[in-house]
DNA sequence: GCAATAGTGTCTTTTAGACAATATTCA
DNA sequence: TGAATATTGTCTAAAAGACACTATTGC
């Protein structure tokens, strides 16, 4: 019970990054192999402690994005995911972590960053299935992050964050299919996407590809909120909980 | 730059509560009049520092819910809203706040709690319009919380959290109208709500009211995810405003 | 009957969902 | 021409949106 000279307890603050991208038509997640205790040799999300007392939390996230993932000046989607701070989640003491969700277009190669040595892309399905043991409560964080991305694809333009500056409608469809794990009808997809004013806008003189008919190029439009939403079909979903 | 014996900085952790309810057919928010510096005599969200180093964050939120709002053992909806921790947001030092969104059915009176003396319900519209000056960055927190509630009404069963254990369809409609600030067509609303299997289920022998035909009673069903979602649309003609 | 609120039915327009055919490029 | 991918069109079923009427209670 707080008394006269009670002082509030102080906690250590970390940021953790759920970085998603598309590679080989699959949703993948960036993981670091830990070199130090605790959880040495286990995989973990990129992240780390607040650098100094005056550093902003999102600023720390961007710093770690550069240091640990080699994604420095790159423009990518970054949003706060939530706080994970249950006592006992970190053996080093009371550590509270702010998780961020980052989404990036296909990256060059195995991430050629500074400290990004032990970083590698893992299929999200395998991670969610528990085939890749993660440190701390990072499995829960990943699960929340992926679910956030899946949900936001429905009623926001988040899908374009997985694409390069310009992209084709087929590429956009691949994003939806990979993130949701479903197959969509291209004809209905074309219709739906193009009817949503401001979702994507024509870009460039319209051409590209290697074999087959060239596709028209688009870029992300100004609209962030999709109305009506894209509907996640052919998935169990419906039932409660 | 971190050196050999670098130690991560520690921050103070608080929880802040955006507590929403329906009173007089309007969406209202619980605010506390601060009795101490900083921001003495300004309004602020209920909340406070982590009680001790071993206290869970959500546990702290529930404790403050009881202490500052007098909403102790009450069953209510509580979800994490986000973290607000920019340097300089609190003159007392580096304070990072975890905001929670709480939604409660109509409460007895002006909240007869323990420390809930200076607590009062304010119309959300007035607060968002800036007519009630708030301490810290609480205006932003309130704005985010209300927007979260508005959005979740669309594709989740959150609306039932504003209702008592049993409720009528008209009452549920009033929730949507108050939170969204729109008018809805009762006939389409009845149809829509009842078609969504598991959203609400019949409860009680079916009766109630004071004047007019008694209404059937329902309670919240098992389904949390609404599919298809409720769509936020205004009534074309109906009563104006 | 009258006042007041609860609940249902129908029509029209829009949208989703399923399906097949045409267009454009390169070899 | 053929292979490969892009793009458009049509039909049907379902849902949204607009509208008016019937039902049940207390007086």
């Amino acid at each position: 019970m707080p008394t006269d000279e009670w002082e509030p307890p102080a906690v250590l603050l970390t940021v953790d990054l759920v970085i998603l991208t598309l590679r080989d038509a699959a949703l993948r997640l960036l993981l670091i192999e830990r070199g130090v205790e605790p959880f040495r040799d286990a995989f973990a999300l990129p992240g780390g402690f607040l650098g100094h007392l005056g550093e902003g939390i999102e600023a720390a996230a961007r710093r770690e994005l550069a240091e640990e993932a080699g994604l420095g000046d790159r423009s990518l989607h970054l949003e706060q995911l939530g706080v994970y701070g249950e006592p006992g989640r970190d053996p080093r003491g009371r550590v509270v972590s702010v998780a961020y969700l980052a989404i990036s277009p296909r990256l060059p190669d195995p991430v050629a960053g500074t400290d990004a040595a032990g970083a590698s892309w893992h299929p999200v399905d395998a991670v969610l299935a528990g085939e890749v043991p993660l440190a701390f409560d990072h499995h829960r964080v990943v699960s929340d992050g992926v679910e956030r991305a899946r949900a936001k694809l429905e009623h926001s333009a988040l899908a374009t964050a997985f694409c390069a500056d310009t992209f084709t409608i087929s590429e956009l469809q691949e994003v939806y299919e990979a993130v949701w794990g479903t197959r969509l009808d291209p004809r209905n997809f074309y219709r739906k996407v193009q009817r949503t004013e401001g979702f994507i806008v024509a870009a460039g003189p319209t051409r590209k590809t290697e074999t087959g008919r060239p596709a028209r190029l688009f870029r992300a439009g100004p609209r962030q909120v999709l109305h009506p939403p894209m509907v996640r079909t052919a998935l169990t979903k419906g039932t409660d909980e």
Side-chain angles (χ1 to χ4, degrees), chain A residues 11-12 83-97 136-137:
Chain A
V11 305
L12 298 181
V83 187
Y84 298 82
E86 282 311 291
R89 66 180 285 278
D90 191 318
R92 290 168 296 188
R94 187 65 194 269
V95 178
V96 171
S97 176
F136 307 106
D137 50 5

Side-chain angles (χ1 to χ4, degrees), chain A residues 101-178:
Chain A
L101 174 64
I103 289 172
S104 163
R106 291 185 79 186
L107 300 167
D109 265 350
V111 187
T114 52
D115 297 1
S120 50
W121 294 102
H122 296 251
V124 161
D125 286 344
V127 175
L128 289 182
E131 299 171 14
V132 182
L134 298 186
F136 307 106
D137 50 5
H138 285 182
H139 189 277
R140 164 68 99 93
V141 180
V142 171
S143 175
D144 290 350
V146 171
E147 188 44 53
R148 169 81 66 95
R150 284 178 175 157
K152 285 197 77 167
L153 244 54
E154 290 191 287
H155 47 263
S156 84
L158 184 64
T160 58
F162 284 98
C163 298
D165 187 47
T166 61
F167 51 87
T168 69
I169 294 189
S170 298
E171 288 169 348
L172 189 63
Q173 181 178 341
E174 285 168 21
V175 172
Y176 277 90
E177 292 183 333

Side-chain angles (χ1 to χ4, degrees), chain A residues 165-216:
Chain A
D165 187 47
T166 61
F167 51 87
T168 69
I169 294 189
S170 298
E171 288 169 348
L172 189 63
Q173 181 178 341
E174 285 168 21
V175 172
Y176 277 90
E177 292 183 333
V179 177
W180 283 349
T182 59
R183 298 303 300 263
L184 302 174
D185 184 306
R187 299 164 292 207
N188 295 335
F189 186 81
Y190 270 67
R191 179 166 43 110
K192 184 71 192 259
V193 165
Q194 302 214 63
R195 183 182 309 181
T196 304
E197 199 73 32
F199 183 11
I200 60 175
V201 295
T206 70
R207 54 185 34 249
K208 189 192 168 193
T209 95
E210 37 187 89
T211 167
R213 173 177 174 176
R216 296 167 61 195

